Amino acid sequence: MDLKKKIVLSLFRKHKQTQTKLHELNYLFWECTLRCNLNCLHCGSDCSKEALAPDMPLQDFLTALNSITPHINPNKTIIVLTGGEPLMRKDLENCGREFYERGFPWGMVTNGYGLTDHRLKNLLHAGLRSITVSFDGSSPDTHDWLRGKNGSWERAKNAISLIASTSNLVYDVVTCVNKRTIDELEEIKKLLINLSVKDWRLFSIFPKGRARKNPLLQLSPDEFKRLMQFIRQTRREGIIHASFGCEGFLGDYELEVRDNPFFCKAGIHVGSVLVDGFISACPSLRSDYIQGNIYKDDFWEVWEKRYQNMRDRSWTKTGKCADCQSYKYCEGNGLHLRDQQSGELLCCHLELIRS
Protein backbone atom coordinates (compact mmCIF):
# COMPACT_ATOMS: atom_id res chain seq x y z
CA MET A 1 0.00 0.00 0.00
CA ASP A 2 1.41 3.39 -0.94
CA LEU A 3 2.13 6.14 1.57
CA LYS A 4 -0.78 8.35 0.46
CA LYS A 5 -3.32 5.62 1.17
CA LYS A 6 -1.76 4.88 4.54
CA ILE A 7 -2.07 8.55 5.52
CA VAL A 8 -5.72 8.69 4.41
CA LEU A 9 -6.55 5.46 6.24
CA SER A 10 -4.81 6.67 9.40
CA LEU A 11 -6.83 9.88 9.35
CA PHE A 12 -10.01 7.92 8.66
CA ARG A 13 -9.20 5.68 11.61
CA LYS A 14 -9.34 8.72 13.90
CA HIS A 15 -12.62 9.74 12.27
CA LYS A 16 -14.07 6.30 13.06
CA GLN A 17 -12.97 6.60 16.68
CA THR A 18 -14.75 9.95 16.99
CA GLN A 19 -17.89 8.63 15.30
CA THR A 20 -17.93 5.62 17.61
CA LYS A 21 -17.90 7.87 20.67
CA LEU A 22 -20.73 10.00 19.25
CA HIS A 23 -22.69 6.97 17.89
CA GLU A 24 -25.33 9.08 16.18
CA LEU A 25 -28.22 6.97 14.89
CA ASN A 26 -28.39 7.69 11.16
CA TYR A 27 -29.92 4.47 9.82
CA LEU A 28 -32.74 2.54 11.46
CA PHE A 29 -33.64 -0.73 9.76
CA TRP A 30 -37.05 -2.26 10.32
CA GLU A 31 -37.39 -5.92 9.43
CA CYS A 32 -41.09 -5.46 8.85
CA THR A 33 -41.81 -8.99 7.59
CA LEU A 34 -40.15 -12.34 7.00
CA ARG A 35 -42.62 -13.26 4.27
CA CYS A 36 -41.13 -13.38 0.81
CA ASN A 37 -42.28 -14.10 -2.74
CA LEU A 38 -38.91 -15.58 -3.74
CA ASN A 39 -36.77 -18.45 -2.47
CA CYS A 40 -33.20 -17.17 -2.77
CA LEU A 41 -30.25 -19.56 -2.54
CA HIS A 42 -28.26 -17.09 -0.44
CA CYS A 43 -30.95 -15.85 1.95
CA GLY A 44 -29.32 -14.85 5.23
CA SER A 45 -32.53 -14.95 7.27
CA ASP A 46 -33.82 -18.11 5.57
CA CYS A 47 -37.17 -16.48 4.82
CA SER A 48 -40.08 -18.30 3.26
CA LYS A 49 -43.37 -17.20 1.72
CA GLU A 50 -45.28 -18.34 4.79
CA ALA A 51 -42.85 -17.34 7.52
CA LEU A 52 -43.42 -18.62 11.03
CA ALA A 53 -42.88 -15.17 12.53
CA PRO A 54 -45.85 -12.86 11.89
CA ASP A 55 -45.38 -9.34 10.55
CA MET A 56 -44.69 -6.81 13.26
CA PRO A 57 -47.72 -4.53 13.69
CA LEU A 58 -46.96 -0.96 12.64
CA GLN A 59 -48.03 0.39 16.03
CA ASP A 60 -45.40 -1.72 17.80
CA PHE A 61 -42.62 -0.29 15.66
CA LEU A 62 -43.99 3.23 16.16
CA THR A 63 -43.61 2.74 19.90
CA ALA A 64 -39.89 2.22 19.35
CA LEU A 65 -39.78 5.18 16.99
CA ASN A 66 -41.47 7.39 19.60
CA SER A 67 -38.64 6.48 21.99
CA ILE A 68 -36.08 7.81 19.52
CA THR A 69 -37.78 10.93 18.23
CA PRO A 70 -37.18 13.30 21.20
CA HIS A 71 -33.43 12.71 21.05
CA ILE A 72 -32.64 13.17 17.36
CA ASN A 73 -33.46 15.27 14.33
CA PRO A 74 -35.81 12.91 12.41
CA ASN A 75 -34.76 14.50 9.12
CA LYS A 76 -31.26 13.10 9.62
CA THR A 77 -32.25 9.51 10.43
CA ILE A 78 -33.56 7.36 7.61
CA ILE A 79 -35.82 4.37 8.21
CA VAL A 80 -35.10 1.49 5.84
CA LEU A 81 -37.63 -1.31 5.48
CA THR A 82 -36.25 -4.80 4.92
CA GLY A 83 -37.49 -8.36 5.12
CA GLY A 84 -38.29 -10.81 3.79
CA GLU A 85 -39.83 -8.71 1.08
CA PRO A 86 -41.38 -5.42 2.31
CA LEU A 87 -43.80 -5.31 -0.63
CA MET A 88 -45.55 -8.34 0.84
CA ARG A 89 -47.12 -5.98 3.39
CA LYS A 90 -50.40 -4.57 2.17
CA ASP A 91 -50.15 -1.71 4.66
CA LEU A 92 -46.72 -0.55 3.45
CA GLU A 93 -48.11 2.79 2.29
CA ASN A 94 -49.69 3.38 5.72
CA CYS A 95 -46.36 2.59 7.36
CA GLY A 96 -44.52 5.04 5.12
CA ARG A 97 -47.09 7.75 5.69
CA GLU A 98 -46.64 7.46 9.46
CA PHE A 99 -42.87 7.86 9.11
CA TYR A 100 -43.25 10.78 6.72
CA GLU A 101 -45.63 12.61 9.06
CA ARG A 102 -43.11 12.23 11.88
CA GLY A 103 -40.40 13.81 9.71
CA PHE A 104 -38.42 10.65 8.93
CA PRO A 105 -37.21 9.98 5.40
CA TRP A 106 -37.79 6.35 4.58
CA GLY A 107 -36.73 3.80 2.01
CA MET A 108 -36.81 0.11 1.31
CA VAL A 109 -34.81 -2.83 -0.01
CA THR A 110 -36.76 -4.97 -2.47
CA ASN A 111 -36.37 -7.79 -4.97
CA GLY A 112 -38.68 -5.81 -7.27
CA TYR A 113 -40.99 -8.74 -8.02
CA GLY A 114 -44.10 -7.02 -6.71
CA LEU A 115 -43.31 -3.44 -7.74
CA THR A 116 -45.79 -2.13 -10.30
CA ASP A 117 -46.26 1.37 -11.61
CA HIS A 118 -49.40 1.75 -9.49
CA ARG A 119 -47.70 0.51 -6.33
CA LEU A 120 -44.70 2.77 -6.86
CA LYS A 121 -46.91 5.83 -7.26
CA ASN A 122 -48.73 5.00 -4.03
CA LEU A 123 -45.45 4.56 -2.18
CA LEU A 124 -44.16 7.87 -3.50
CA HIS A 125 -47.33 9.57 -2.28
CA ALA A 126 -46.61 8.02 1.11
CA GLY A 127 -43.19 9.71 1.18
CA LEU A 128 -40.89 7.03 -0.21
CA ARG A 129 -37.47 8.66 -0.50
CA SER A 130 -35.10 5.85 -1.51
CA ILE A 131 -35.18 2.32 -2.86
CA THR A 132 -32.70 -0.46 -3.54
CA VAL A 133 -33.45 -3.24 -6.04
CA SER A 134 -31.60 -6.53 -6.39
CA PHE A 135 -30.49 -7.60 -9.86
CA ASP A 136 -28.31 -10.66 -10.15
CA GLY A 137 -27.74 -11.67 -13.73
CA SER A 138 -27.60 -10.61 -17.36
CA SER A 139 -30.41 -13.04 -18.16
CA PRO A 140 -33.14 -15.05 -16.41
CA ASP A 141 -30.85 -18.09 -16.34
CA THR A 142 -28.59 -16.63 -13.66
CA HIS A 143 -30.92 -14.28 -11.79
CA ASP A 144 -33.85 -16.71 -11.54
CA TRP A 145 -31.47 -19.49 -10.45
CA LEU A 146 -30.18 -17.40 -7.54
CA ARG A 147 -33.61 -16.01 -6.66
CA GLY A 148 -35.39 -19.33 -6.88
CA LYS A 149 -38.31 -18.23 -9.03
CA ASN A 150 -38.93 -18.11 -12.75
CA GLY A 151 -39.87 -14.65 -13.99
CA SER A 152 -38.07 -12.82 -11.19
CA TRP A 153 -35.41 -11.41 -13.58
CA GLU A 154 -38.04 -9.84 -15.83
CA ARG A 155 -39.92 -8.41 -12.85
CA ALA A 156 -36.72 -6.95 -11.37
CA LYS A 157 -35.73 -5.42 -14.71
CA ASN A 158 -39.17 -3.83 -15.07
CA ALA A 159 -38.95 -2.47 -11.52
CA ILE A 160 -35.55 -0.93 -12.25
CA SER A 161 -36.90 0.68 -15.41
CA LEU A 162 -39.78 2.21 -13.45
CA ILE A 163 -37.51 3.53 -10.73
CA ALA A 164 -34.87 4.91 -13.09
CA SER A 165 -37.53 6.99 -14.84
CA THR A 166 -38.84 8.45 -11.56
CA SER A 167 -37.58 11.89 -10.61
CA ASN A 168 -36.63 12.88 -7.05
CA LEU A 169 -36.13 9.28 -5.94
CA VAL A 170 -32.77 8.12 -4.64
CA TYR A 171 -32.11 4.59 -5.80
CA ASP A 172 -29.46 2.04 -6.58
CA VAL A 173 -29.18 -1.49 -7.90
CA VAL A 174 -27.32 -4.21 -6.00
CA THR A 175 -25.81 -7.38 -7.44
CA CYS A 176 -24.71 -10.39 -5.42
CA VAL A 177 -21.71 -11.73 -7.30
CA ASN A 178 -21.17 -15.49 -7.37
CA LYS A 179 -19.38 -18.03 -9.57
CA ARG A 180 -22.01 -17.67 -12.29
CA THR A 181 -22.36 -13.90 -12.11
CA ILE A 182 -18.63 -13.17 -12.26
CA ASP A 183 -18.56 -13.95 -15.99
CA GLU A 184 -21.60 -11.78 -16.71
CA LEU A 185 -20.53 -8.52 -15.11
CA GLU A 186 -19.85 -6.72 -18.40
CA GLU A 187 -23.25 -7.74 -19.76
CA ILE A 188 -25.02 -6.72 -16.56
CA LYS A 189 -23.24 -3.37 -16.71
CA LYS A 190 -24.36 -2.75 -20.30
CA LEU A 191 -27.93 -3.69 -19.42
CA LEU A 192 -28.04 -1.35 -16.42
CA ILE A 193 -26.54 1.50 -18.44
CA ASN A 194 -29.26 0.97 -21.06
CA LEU A 195 -31.83 1.21 -18.26
CA SER A 196 -30.27 4.58 -17.24
CA VAL A 197 -29.07 3.29 -13.88
CA LYS A 198 -26.52 5.61 -12.29
CA ASP A 199 -25.52 3.79 -9.09
CA TRP A 200 -24.61 0.11 -8.84
CA ARG A 201 -23.36 -1.71 -5.75
CA LEU A 202 -21.74 -5.12 -6.00
CA PHE A 203 -21.38 -7.59 -3.14
CA SER A 204 -19.78 -10.93 -2.60
CA ILE A 205 -21.97 -13.44 -0.78
CA PHE A 206 -21.00 -14.22 2.80
CA PRO A 207 -21.12 -17.81 4.07
CA LYS A 208 -24.14 -17.67 6.36
CA GLY A 209 -27.75 -18.79 6.17
CA ARG A 210 -28.53 -20.81 3.07
CA ALA A 211 -25.23 -19.75 1.48
CA ARG A 212 -23.08 -21.43 4.10
CA LYS A 213 -22.74 -24.78 2.29
CA ASN A 214 -23.21 -23.77 -1.35
CA PRO A 215 -19.81 -23.63 -3.09
CA LEU A 216 -21.31 -21.98 -6.19
CA LEU A 217 -21.98 -18.83 -4.18
CA GLN A 218 -18.46 -18.23 -2.84
CA LEU A 219 -15.83 -16.52 -4.98
CA SER A 220 -12.31 -17.92 -5.17
CA PRO A 221 -9.41 -15.53 -4.50
CA ASP A 222 -8.86 -15.10 -8.25
CA GLU A 223 -12.55 -14.43 -8.85
CA PHE A 224 -12.67 -11.93 -6.00
CA LYS A 225 -9.69 -10.05 -7.45
CA ARG A 226 -11.44 -10.05 -10.84
CA LEU A 227 -14.42 -8.41 -9.14
CA MET A 228 -12.22 -5.72 -7.60
CA GLN A 229 -10.53 -5.04 -10.94
CA PHE A 230 -13.89 -4.85 -12.70
CA ILE A 231 -15.25 -2.31 -10.22
CA ARG A 232 -12.08 -0.22 -10.40
CA GLN A 233 -12.17 -0.16 -14.20
CA THR A 234 -15.88 0.65 -14.28
CA ARG A 235 -15.34 3.60 -11.95
CA ARG A 236 -12.57 4.89 -14.19
CA GLU A 237 -14.89 4.71 -17.20
CA GLY A 238 -17.32 7.03 -15.39
CA ILE A 239 -20.51 5.90 -17.16
CA ILE A 240 -22.14 4.10 -14.22
CA HIS A 241 -21.01 4.61 -10.62
CA ALA A 242 -20.02 1.15 -9.41
CA SER A 243 -18.89 0.40 -5.88
CA PHE A 244 -18.16 -2.57 -3.69
CA GLY A 245 -20.52 -3.09 -0.76
CA CYS A 246 -19.84 -1.86 2.74
CA GLU A 247 -18.17 -5.07 3.93
CA GLY A 248 -14.53 -5.92 4.19
CA PHE A 249 -11.21 -4.09 4.32
CA LEU A 250 -9.64 -4.31 0.86
CA GLY A 251 -5.99 -3.34 1.27
CA ASP A 252 -4.60 -1.84 -1.94
CA TYR A 253 -8.11 -1.58 -3.41
CA GLU A 254 -9.27 0.78 -0.67
CA LEU A 255 -10.24 4.22 -2.07
CA GLU A 256 -10.42 2.67 -5.56
CA VAL A 257 -13.56 0.53 -5.50
CA ARG A 258 -15.85 2.54 -3.21
CA ASP A 259 -16.26 6.13 -2.15
CA ASN A 260 -15.02 5.83 1.44
CA PRO A 261 -12.66 3.50 3.30
CA PHE A 262 -14.10 0.45 5.00
CA PHE A 263 -16.19 1.25 8.10
CA CYS A 264 -18.55 -1.27 9.66
CA LYS A 265 -21.13 1.10 11.14
CA ALA A 266 -23.18 -1.55 12.93
CA GLY A 267 -24.10 -0.22 16.37
CA ILE A 268 -22.30 3.04 15.62
CA HIS A 269 -24.61 4.68 13.09
CA VAL A 270 -26.86 1.72 12.29
CA GLY A 271 -29.56 0.15 14.45
CA SER A 272 -32.38 -2.22 13.68
CA VAL A 273 -35.64 -3.64 14.95
CA LEU A 274 -36.12 -7.25 13.88
CA VAL A 275 -39.48 -8.78 13.12
CA ASP A 276 -39.83 -10.31 16.60
CA GLY A 277 -38.93 -7.07 18.36
CA PHE A 278 -35.28 -7.80 19.02
CA ILE A 279 -32.96 -4.80 18.83
CA SER A 280 -29.76 -5.19 16.84
CA ALA A 281 -27.67 -3.21 14.36
CA CYS A 282 -27.68 -4.10 10.67
CA PRO A 283 -30.32 -6.82 10.03
CA SER A 284 -27.55 -9.33 9.21
CA LEU A 285 -26.54 -9.27 12.89
CA ARG A 286 -28.68 -11.60 14.95
CA SER A 287 -28.28 -14.02 17.86
CA ASP A 288 -25.18 -12.97 19.85
CA TYR A 289 -25.52 -9.35 18.74
CA ILE A 290 -29.03 -8.81 20.13
CA GLN A 291 -29.08 -5.82 22.51
CA GLY A 292 -32.64 -5.93 23.81
CA ASN A 293 -36.26 -6.17 22.71
CA ILE A 294 -38.74 -3.35 22.09
CA TYR A 295 -41.44 -5.27 23.97
CA LYS A 296 -39.55 -4.94 27.23
CA ASP A 297 -36.82 -2.32 26.63
CA ASP A 298 -36.78 1.35 25.66
CA PHE A 299 -35.03 1.56 22.29
CA TRP A 300 -33.22 4.82 22.97
CA GLU A 301 -31.91 3.63 26.33
CA VAL A 302 -30.62 0.50 24.62
CA TRP A 303 -28.97 2.58 21.88
CA GLU A 304 -27.24 4.83 24.38
CA LYS A 305 -26.10 2.27 26.95
CA ARG A 306 -25.55 -1.03 25.16
CA TYR A 307 -23.92 -2.08 21.84
CA GLN A 308 -20.56 -2.34 23.60
CA ASN A 309 -19.49 -5.40 21.59
CA MET A 310 -19.93 -3.28 18.46
CA ARG A 311 -18.35 -0.07 19.70
CA ASP A 312 -15.33 -1.70 21.32
CA ARG A 313 -14.14 -4.35 18.90
CA SER A 314 -10.89 -5.29 20.60
CA TRP A 315 -12.40 -8.74 21.21
CA THR A 316 -12.10 -9.43 17.47
CA LYS A 317 -8.28 -9.38 17.58
CA THR A 318 -8.05 -13.15 17.69
CA GLY A 319 -7.30 -15.97 15.26
CA LYS A 320 -6.12 -14.69 11.88
CA CYS A 321 -6.75 -11.10 13.04
CA ALA A 322 -4.38 -11.33 16.01
CA ASP A 323 -1.16 -10.57 14.13
CA CYS A 324 -2.56 -8.80 11.08
CA GLN A 325 -0.75 -5.54 10.29
CA SER A 326 -3.96 -4.12 8.79
CA TYR A 327 -6.10 -4.73 11.89
CA LYS A 328 -5.87 -1.07 12.89
CA TYR A 329 -7.73 -0.15 9.68
CA CYS A 330 -10.05 -3.15 9.57
CA GLU A 331 -10.89 -3.88 13.23
CA GLY A 332 -11.86 -7.43 12.47
CA ASN A 333 -13.91 -6.94 9.28
CA GLY A 334 -17.73 -6.70 9.23
CA LEU A 335 -19.30 -8.20 12.32
CA HIS A 336 -21.75 -10.21 10.21
CA LEU A 337 -18.74 -12.15 8.86
CA ARG A 338 -18.00 -13.70 12.24
CA ASP A 339 -19.25 -17.04 13.51
CA GLN A 340 -22.03 -16.46 16.01
CA GLN A 341 -20.74 -19.09 18.45
CA SER A 342 -16.95 -18.88 18.29
CA GLY A 343 -16.54 -15.29 17.11
CA GLU A 344 -13.99 -16.46 14.53
CA LEU A 345 -13.81 -14.67 11.19
CA LEU A 346 -15.60 -16.60 8.42
CA CYS A 347 -14.35 -14.52 5.52
CA CYS A 348 -11.37 -12.18 5.23
CA HIS A 349 -11.46 -10.01 2.11
CA LEU A 350 -7.84 -8.99 2.55
CA GLU A 351 -6.83 -12.64 2.65
CA LEU A 352 -8.69 -13.24 -0.64
CA ILE A 353 -6.85 -10.36 -2.26
CA ARG A 354 -3.43 -11.49 -1.05
CA SER A 355 -3.91 -15.15 -2.01
Side-chain angles (χ1 to χ4, degrees), residues 74-90:
N75 298 156
K76 295 183 179 180
T77 301
I78 185 168
I79 299 170
V80 182
L81 277 63
T82 67
E85 171 51 50
L87 289 171
M88 296 291 286
R89 287 189 68 125
K90 295 181 179 179

Side-chain angles (χ1 to χ4, degrees), residues 62-111:
L62 292 179
T63 299
L65 203 59
N66 290 339
S67 162
I68 298 165
T69 305
H71 307 281
I72 62 169
N73 178 351
N75 298 156
K76 295 183 179 180
T77 301
I78 185 168
I79 299 170
V80 182
L81 277 63
T82 67
E85 171 51 50
L87 289 171
M88 296 291 286
R89 287 189 68 125
K90 295 181 179 179
D91 67 342
L92 198 60
E93 290 81 354
N94 292 336
C95 298
R97 198 169 293 111
E98 289 285 350
F99 307 150
Y100 180 78
E101 290 176 354
R102 286 168 166 75
F104 288 92
W106 70 278
M108 60 185 290
V109 180
T110 177
N111 58 45

Side-chain angles (χ1 to χ4, degrees), residues 127-143:
L128 178 69
R129 185 73 61 83
S130 69
I131 189 166
T132 294
V133 182
S134 298
F135 194 68
D136 297 304
S138 61
S139 71
D141 288 345
T142 305
H143 180 98

Side-chain angles (χ1 to χ4, degrees), residues 47-240:
C47 305
S48 63
K49 185 175 181 180
E50 300 298 332
L52 294 176
D55 295 356
M56 177 182 286
L58 170 61
Q59 196 56 48
D60 294 0
F61 179 71
L62 292 179
T63 299
L65 203 59
N66 290 339
S67 162
I68 298 165
T69 305
H71 307 281
I72 62 169
N73 178 351
N75 298 156
K76 295 183 179 180
T77 301
I78 185 168
I79 299 170
V80 182
L81 277 63
T82 67
E85 171 51 50
L87 289 171
M88 296 291 286
R89 287 189 68 125
K90 295 181 179 179
D91 67 342
L92 198 60
E93 290 81 354
N94 292 336
C95 298
R97 198 169 293 111
E98 289 285 350
F99 307 150
Y100 180 78
E101 290 176 354
R102 286 168 166 75
F104 288 92
W106 70 278
M108 60 185 290
V109 180
T110 177
N111 58 45
Y113 192 88
L115 190 67
T116 62
D117 181 55
H118 178 72
R119 192 82 196 267
L120 179 58
K121 287 178 180 176
N122 287 341
L123 292 168
L124 291 169
H125 286 312
L128 178 69
R129 185 73 61 83
S130 69
I131 189 166
T132 294
V133 182
S134 298
F135 194 68
D136 297 304
S138 61
S139 71
D141 288 345
T142 305
H143 180 98
D144 292 1
W145 164 76
L146 185 66
R147 294 290 164 177
K149 189 164 186 174
N150 291 336
S152 59
W153 180 83
E154 193 67 37
R155 293 283 194 101
K157 184 165 72 73
N158 290 341
I160 292 168
S161 181
L162 280 173
I163 292 165
S165 62
T166 302
S167 59
N168 300 319
L169 179 63
V170 176
Y171 74 94
D172 64 356
V173 172
V174 297
T175 297
C176 295
V177 183
N178 54 70
K179 287 187 178 298
R180 293 181 64 170
T181 323
I182 191 70
D183 293 322
E184 300 182 9
L185 292 178
E186 282 291 343
E187 291 303 314
I188 298 173
K189 179 174 70 174
K190 292 176 184 177
L191 199 157
L192 294 179
I193 290 172
N194 287 337
L195 290 172
S196 300
V197 171
K198 303 299 182 186
D199 290 290
W200 183 24
R201 279 186 295 153
L202 299 97
F203 289 82
S204 54
I205 298 175
F206 55 90
K208 279 191 175 182
R210 296 178 189 170
R212 179 183 288 271
K213 297 181 179 180
N214 192 331
L216 291 177
L217 302 182
Q218 311 302 321
L219 297 177
S220 68
D222 285 344
E223 289 166 336
F224 188 77
K225 282 179 276 193
R226 281 177 58 194
L227 173 59
M228 295 298 101
Q229 291 159 9
F230 170 82
I231 296 173
R232 181 172 61 187
Q233 179 59 34
T234 299
R235 290 170 69 91
R236 288 172 178 173
E237 292 168 358
I239 302 172
I240 184 172

Side-chain angles (χ1 to χ4, degrees), residues 29 36 55 68 88 92 100 106 167 174 198 227 243 245-246 256 263 268 274 278 280 284 297 311 344 352:
F29 286 91
C36 192
D55 295 356
I68 298 165
M88 296 291 286
L92 198 60
Y100 180 78
W106 70 278
S167 59
V174 297
K198 303 299 182 186
L227 173 59
S243 61
C246 57
E256 295 186 34
F263 183 7
I268 298 170
L274 304 182
F278 284 110
S280 186
S284 295
D297 301 304
R311 296 172 186 167
E344 289 299 310
L352 287 173

Side-chain angles (χ1 to χ4, degrees), residues 286-348:
R286 312 178 91 85
S287 187
D288 292 346
Y289 295 103
I290 296 301
Q291 303 298 307
N293 193 293
I294 64 168
Y295 293 112
K296 65 177 182 179
D297 301 304
D298 179 83
F299 186 98
W300 186 255
E301 184 174 344
V302 170
W303 178 257
E304 284 293 281
K305 297 182 179 180
R306 302 187 192 179
Y307 288 92
Q308 294 312 306
N309 61 342
M310 303 183 202
R311 296 172 186 167
D312 178 1
R313 302 194 182 186
S314 56
W315 61 271
T316 65
K317 196 172 175 58
T318 60
K320 64 182 66 178
C321 296
D323 300 317
C324 180
Q325 296 299 309
S326 296
Y327 181 85
K328 58 187 175 181
Y329 306 129
C330 177
E331 294 187 302
N333 214 323
L335 293 179
H336 67 288
L337 296 172
R338 293 192 166 268
D339 182 79
Q340 293 178 346
Q341 277 70 48
S342 67
E344 289 299 310
L345 189 61
L346 297 173
C347 175
C348 174

